[in-house]
Amino acid sequence: MTMNDSDERRTNWAHSLTYSARELARPRSIDELSSIVSSSDLVHALGTRHSFSDVADTAGVLVDLSGLPSEIDIDESSGTVAVNAAATYGKVAPALDLAGFALHNEGSLPHISVAGATATGTHGSGSGLGSLSTVVRALEILGPDGAVRTLNHDSVDFPGAVIHLGLLGVVTRVTLELEPSYRMRQDVYGPMPWNTYVAHRNRGCRWDLNPPASSSDLGSSQMKV
């Protein structure tokens, strides 16, 4: 286990927020994490720190879960995958694709953790798709006593627990529903005059703009194929 108090480690990814926690711990195992939680008065887990708010902050101990061993366990019979809190979409997606599976939606950045994104209701992409948390089927949560408990989707308390914001304990493992693998197609349009963008900006496209807006702006649309 490492305890790091450097300014670099106490900020979010953009360095726009400095956490106020008195300690920052980075356990390398569930046993180390359990020891930290059970011996601390206040604990909160950190994801990949991609929030501009202090939703993950605490006056006690912040726990950085990136040091935990990565686990990606695919269950073909149930069509699910169980990943630990350190797993990122950039690692999970290729592993699923090799096995012929995929998630219904992805985060926009590969280094975002699955546990953090689902805990905060991160939207993913596509207005017709559910948020990343909609495919969560089970949670393993380490409580204040240091014990791990499992909460399944058939539990009456499950719907209110998925987007938990770290308030129920430290989530150590998340089980997600899978679907068959697919390929994405992206169509890019350009150069595009500014007036054309203004006239069509409400259509189902992604617009990549580099200010100041000019005729070199590009628009693109994405779809499963």
Side-chain angles (χ1 to χ4, degrees), residues 89 105-108 112-113 116-124 130-133 163:
Y89 283 96
N105 202 349
E106 297 282 356
S108 60
I112 299 298
S113 69
T118 54
T120 52
T122 300
H123 55 78
S131 71
L132 300 178
S133 59
I163 305 178

Side-chain angles (χ1 to χ4, degrees), residues 84-171:
N84 78 321
T88 64
Y89 283 96
K91 292 182 178 180
V92 172
L96 295 180
D97 188 54
L98 286 175
F101 293 101
L103 297 172
H104 83 300
N105 202 349
E106 297 282 356
S108 60
L109 297 170
H111 62 273
I112 299 298
S113 69
V114 174
T118 54
T120 52
T122 300
H123 55 78
S125 61
S127 59
L129 300 173
S131 71
L132 300 178
S133 59
T134 56
V135 294
V136 175
R137 292 296 172 264
L139 298 170
E140 290 186 11
I141 306 173
L142 193 148
D145 58 354
V148 176
R149 298 169 177 83
T150 300
L151 190 62
N152 293 308
H153 71 281
D154 54 357
S155 169
V156 66
D157 297 321
F158 187 76
V162 176
I163 305 178
H164 53 81
L165 303 179
L167 300 178
L168 301 181
V170 179
V171 170

Side-chain angles (χ1 to χ4, degrees), residues 30-213:
I30 296 298
D31 287 341
E32 286 188 358
L33 174 61
S34 177
S35 177
I36 294 170
V37 172
S38 61
S39 62
S40 303
D41 56 344
L42 293 173
V43 181
H44 205 290
L46 278 176
T48 41
R49 312 184 192 205
H50 224 267
S51 174
F52 297 100
S53 77
D54 60 356
V55 64
D57 202 5
T58 177
V61 180
L62 273 179
V63 181
D64 180 346
L65 302 177
S66 62
L68 296 177
S70 181
E71 299 175 4
I72 303 174
D73 298 327
I74 300 172
D75 187 338
E76 296 187 6
S77 62
S78 64
T80 61
V81 60
V83 302
N84 78 321
T88 64
Y89 283 96
K91 292 182 178 180
V92 172
L96 295 180
D97 188 54
L98 286 175
F101 293 101
L103 297 172
H104 83 300
N105 202 349
E106 297 282 356
S108 60
L109 297 170
H111 62 273
I112 299 298
S113 69
V114 174
T118 54
T120 52
T122 300
H123 55 78
S125 61
S127 59
L129 300 173
S131 71
L132 300 178
S133 59
T134 56
V135 294
V136 175
R137 292 296 172 264
L139 298 170
E140 290 186 11
I141 306 173
L142 193 148
D145 58 354
V148 176
R149 298 169 177 83
T150 300
L151 190 62
N152 293 308
H153 71 281
D154 54 357
S155 169
V156 66
D157 297 321
F158 187 76
V162 176
I163 305 178
H164 53 81
L165 303 179
L167 300 178
L168 301 181
V170 179
V171 170
T172 58
R173 193 173 175 89
V174 183
T175 300
L176 307 171
E177 182 179 326
L178 300 176
E179 62 180 64
S181 62
Y182 51 82
R183 293 293 177 265
M184 296 291 296
R185 189 187 83 196
Q186 176 171 288
D187 297 323
V188 180
Y189 310 95
M192 181 179 296
W194 176 251
N195 289 339
T196 302
Y197 160 71
V198 172
H200 299 279
R201 66 181 182 273
N202 292 325
R203 299 179 63 184
C205 297
R206 169 184 171 183
W207 304 94
D208 297 315
L209 301 178
N210 296 312

